[in-house]
Amino acid sequence: MIKVSVLGYGTVGSGVVEIIRENADIITRRAGEEIQVKSVLDLRDFPDDPIQNIIVHDFEEIRKDEEVQIVVETMGGLHPAYEFVKASLESGKSVCTSNKALVADYGPELLEIAQKHNVNFLFEASVGGGIPIIRPLKISLAPDEIMEISGILNGTTNYILTEMTEKGSDFDSVLKEAQDKGYAEKDPTADIEGFDACRKIAILTSLAYGKQLNFEDIYTEGITKITDRDIVYAKKLGAKIKIFGSSKKIGDKVSAMVAPKLITGEHPLYSVDGVFNAILVKGNMVGDVMFYGQGAGKLATASAVVSDVIEEAKHVNVNMRTLWDYEQLDLMPLDEVSFRFFVRVKRGQEIASAVEKAFGHVTPVEAGFTDEFGFVTEKITEKAYEEAAGQVEVINKIRFDS
Ligand code: HSE
């Protein structure tokens, strides 16, 4: 029997306990051994829940418990999650986590400690909730050079943009409705400013190239500047606006960004709406592969965590090597990356004079507003865009996914 401790009995942690109990038979058959939750660490007590019998309040009890071979970290936050995970690995226990902040910040270090102690550090649930993406990137796509990753990696923002598109509502009222329904956090900053997606694309890109991509180095733009007028223009263009976390191999460098992008009907992720997430990966041999599913939620995320528990139960004292070194990934400067830009400007600066003088050839988009108009540029670099935008009065711009 493999004994497990769960750190944190919140949404995901309680889901892990539920899945291990509910699906005990199938999990035992797949793991080759019974898996039992021996203890759960939480500051709180749960007097009305049978879990109370195995609640502990002191992590040291778990660290010293030699029967515990696998630790599940579902506390969230960086501290003390980092200290507990590190101490667990150093005590010869495998760890699985759903904590994207922990993985994005400490991935290479924790993987190195796991390797040194012949145990495993797995984090399937840290990106895309219930969508299998980490293991496919590490294992199924291992023969391929990854040319591109494009992900709708955040359910809250995809829900907001979908509602704005379908109902024509403005950003603030959709956000409020999403908060009322419990889809968006009370403090939605990490989602709507793109920080959540940024950590996720940092993890995926680091794994794809085996080197560290610091999330702080990724250009990140959220959806707070997207208005109902942008949606009207997008419809005129036959496009939808989606926020992507993306990275792409260009020569021997990699470009990465989080930003809202315009995509048209032929894009594989065009129909990914609502709270769903999806990730498109392009391999140089396999071609395009897509992963779609629930990027959040108790049981979806916990299912991904338990898949790691099963994998670790099958690899006791065998480290499954994960290539993710400390060496920094060579990131392409943003200035050099090219896109077609959709741009909105105030009326009074007519296409033939001011706009084309600044941007070169553009294609106008008329959406019927008397005080502004829109146009789409040819493919130009970010640097060229910035120089041109300095010469006219821009209201907003959105990149086309290229
Ligand atoms: N807040 C995230 C989302 C889920 O809305 O997708 C956790 O990563």
Side-chain angles (χ1 to χ4, degrees):
M1 183 187 296
I2 302 274
K3 299 207 173 174
V4 174
S5 274
V6 177
L7 312 184
Y9 196 61
T11 307
V12 180
S14 60
V16 167
V17 173
E18 187 177 328
I19 291 175
I20 291 177
R21 280 201 187 133
E22 284 272 317
N23 280 7
D25 288 349
I26 198 154
I27 289 171
T28 303
R29 277 189 280 137
R30 290 195 172 134
E33 234 179 305
E34 192 183 333
I35 293 177
Q36 189 191 68
V37 179
K38 184 177 181 193
S39 47
V40 172
L41 179 80
D42 205 290
L43 290 172
R44 299 162 296 175
D45 283 309
F46 301 86
D48 302 325
D49 187 322
I51 203 71
Q52 185 62 34
N53 298 327
I54 57 168
I55 286 281
V56 299
H57 298 300
D58 180 5
F59 169 71
E60 275 304 289
E61 247 181 81
I62 291 170
R63 193 186 67 77
K64 286 185 190 148
D65 188 339
E66 287 185 2
E67 272 189 359
V68 172
Q69 288 179 286
I70 298 173
V71 170
V72 171
E73 188 277 305
T74 48
M75 306 165 61
L78 278 180
H79 304 287
Y82 164 73
E83 287 75 15
F84 290 177
V85 166
K86 189 174 173 187
S88 300
L89 294 169
E90 286 171 343
S91 306
K93 303 177 196 309
S94 282
V95 175
C96 35
T97 182
S98 57
N99 187 336
K100 73 188 102 49
L102 177 75
V103 178
D105 270 32
Y106 295 105
E109 181 189 345
L110 295 171
L111 284 166
E112 188 182 62
I113 297 171
Q115 193 174 8
K116 205 165 134 201
H117 290 83
N118 235 11
V119 290
N120 289 290
F121 175 60
L122 300 180
F123 41 87
E124 183 59 68
S126 65
V127 179
I131 304 173
I133 179 62
I134 302 286
R135 199 165 291 114
L137 254 189
K138 278 178 12 183
I139 298 171
S140 319
L141 299 175
D144 275 56
E145 178 154 23
I146 303 302
M147 307 311 292
E148 191 174 337
I149 303 173
S150 245
I152 295 174
L153 297 171
N154 183 271
T156 304
T157 47
N158 202 33
Y159 173 82
I160 292 173
L161 291 172
T162 302
E163 289 289 294
M164 287 175 75
T165 302
E166 287 177 359
K167 299 189 177 149
S169 325
D170 65 278
F171 176 81
D172 290 329
S173 49
V174 178
L175 173 61
K176 184 168 180 321
E177 191 191 309
Q179 284 172 314
D180 291 345
K181 286 185 175 163
Y183 293 156
E185 308 271 348
K186 269 198 201 118
D187 178 0
T189 316
D191 293 318
I192 63 178
E193 296 293 358
F195 307 149
D196 175 81
C198 175
R199 282 171 174 79
K200 291 169 177 167
I201 195 64
I203 294 170
L204 294 181
T205 308
S206 299
L207 277 179
Y209 301 102
K211 293 179 184 172
Q212 172 71 3
L213 173 56
N214 292 333
F215 67 86
E216 297 98 330
D217 296 338
I218 300 175
Y219 173 78
T220 299
E221 192 180 303
I223 62 164
T224 52
K225 288 190 193 135
I226 303 292
T227 64
D228 38 355
R229 284 199 178 188
D230 291 310
I231 303 282
V232 173
Y233 281 105
K235 285 183 181 164
K236 285 273 169 207
L237 288 160
K240 284 183 184 172
I241 304 169
K242 301 259 170 216
I243 179 165
F244 283 91
S246 47
S247 56
K248 193 172 187 174
K249 193 159 194 311
I250 304 172
D252 53 6
K253 291 201 169 119
V254 173
S255 76
M257 72 159 44
V258 174
K261 302 251 179 78
L262 284 154
I263 54 169
T264 48
E266 63 275 9
H267 194 288
L269 303 188
Y270 185 79
S271 57
V272 178
D273 284 331
V275 292
F276 279 88
N277 285 196
I279 303 137
L280 171 68
V281 182
K282 292 178 192 265
N284 70 336
M285 296 293 155
V286 72
D288 289 4
V289 279
M290 259 178 70
F291 304 86
Y292 171 86
Q294 293 178 58
K298 175 176 165 170
L299 292 178
T301 309
S303 167
V305 177
V306 178
S307 81
D308 284 346
V309 173
I310 295 170
E311 209 53 22
E312 289 178 348
K314 285 159 66 179
H315 293 90
V316 173
N317 296 329
V318 182
N319 175 260
M320 296 174 277
R321 185 172 145 69
T322 298
L323 182 63
W324 181 353
D325 294 337
Y326 289 99
E327 190 186 334
Q328 296 291 316
L329 187 68
D330 212 350
L331 200 58
M332 188 166 202
L334 181 66
D335 271 1
E336 295 171 22
V337 186
S338 299
F339 293 99
R340 282 164 66 226
F341 291 84
F342 161 68
V343 189
R344 286 167 53 206
V345 293
K346 291 203 172 151
R347 277 208 199 272
Q349 320 165 80
E350 295 317 325
I351 293 273
S353 50
V355 168
E356 288 213 319
K357 208 167 141 226
F359 287 91
H361 178 254
V362 299
T363 309
V365 195
E366 201 39 83
F369 298 115
T370 51
D371 52 345
E372 62 169 86
F373 66 96
F375 59 87
V376 178
T377 70
E378 303 284 296
K379 200 166 183 182
I380 54 174
T381 61
E382 290 275 344
K383 186 166 190 252
Y385 169 81
E386 286 302 332
E387 282 170 6
Q391 298 171 45
V392 291
E393 244 185 295
V394 172
I395 300 168
N396 200 9
K397 60 124 189 334
I398 307 173
R399 298 166 183 84
F400 270 87
D401 192 55
S402 55

